[in-house]
Amino acid sequence: MNLPCKVLMMRFSLLAAPVAALMLSAPLAMAEDAPRTLSVDMQDATFAKRVGALFGKVEQPGWLKRATESAPVEVTMDGKPYTVLLSCKQHDCRNHQFVLMFNDKTMYGLRLETKDNSPQEELTWLNIGGGPESIDGKTILYAAITGSLYNHPATFQSPQGQ
């Protein structure tokens, strides 16, 4: 082997380890950069347990495990920040949706079931009591289902200090 080839081989071997490390770490980096969705959050056992408790005796829809999901939207209710995550049944988003609004202490949910072109909607409200969620929470959850929350996210934010 002539000298230029040996130098080239040495340079290649010096670069091979960092390149291999970069290639092996790419899936981890992509996993860490995965957008926050309900399915990503449900991989956390504590979060999944909270969602299970939210449903209580109401059956979780089977399609939720393979749902189409939207990006999170940050909202404010009663001066407290919440995250809203929307999921819907693959290939049938119009008829089967679930939206979750939560922070580190509280969760609220809404499940919508309907049929194509039907004016009737079956709404299952989860953890809606007599607090601010009874009006503002329902408004935010339903706004997520209709798309209004995603079209006008600033409308669902309280000014700083309120």
Side-chain angles (χ1 to χ4, degrees):
M1 190 178 290
N2 62 27
L3 188 56
C5 287
K6 285 183 180 178
V7 172
L8 185 59
M9 291 288 276
M10 189 174 8
R11 284 185 183 164
F12 177 74
S13 64
L14 290 174
L15 290 173
V19 169
L22 180 63
M23 289 173 60
L24 291 173
S25 67
L28 294 174
M30 287 190 293
E32 290 173 8
D33 293 342
R36 184 174 196 176
T37 62
L38 183 59
S39 63
V40 168
D41 282 353
M42 290 291 280
Q43 293 173 14
D44 176 85
T46 303
F47 188 88
K49 187 175 181 177
R50 288 179 67 199
V51 172
L54 175 72
F55 274 95
K57 294 180 182 180
V58 175
E59 184 178 346
Q60 288 188 37
W63 55 260
L64 204 51
K65 293 177 182 168
R66 297 172 309 284
T68 299
E69 302 173 307
S70 67
V73 175
E74 303 300 323
V75 298
T76 305
M77 182 176 72
D78 197 31
K80 297 176 187 111
Y82 288 85
T83 300
V84 176
L85 297 173
L86 177 69
S87 299
C88 63
K89 185 175 182 179
Q90 284 186 6
H91 310 296
D92 199 7
C93 275
R94 175 189 296 174
N95 295 319
H96 309 278
Q97 298 182 39
F98 173 70
V99 62
L100 180 68
M101 181 172 71
F102 65 95
N103 61 23
D104 58 344
K105 296 180 182 170
T106 310
M107 281 188 169
Y108 305 103
L110 171 60
R111 180 178 174 188
L112 171 130
E113 299 289 333
T114 190
K115 294 181 180 158
D116 283 337
N117 302 315
S118 173
Q120 295 179 331
E121 299 174 331
E122 181 183 326
L123 303 176
T124 305
W125 301 97
L126 303 168
N127 196 33
I128 300 296
E133 76 280 0
S134 63
I135 296 174
D136 295 338
K138 282 184 171 183
T139 301
I140 293 167
L141 291 167
Y142 196 75
I145 296 254
T146 64
S148 182
L149 176 64
Y150 297 92
N151 292 333
H152 312 285
T155 304
F156 299 92
Q157 292 291 324
S158 294
Q160 288 290 20
Q162 290 189 7

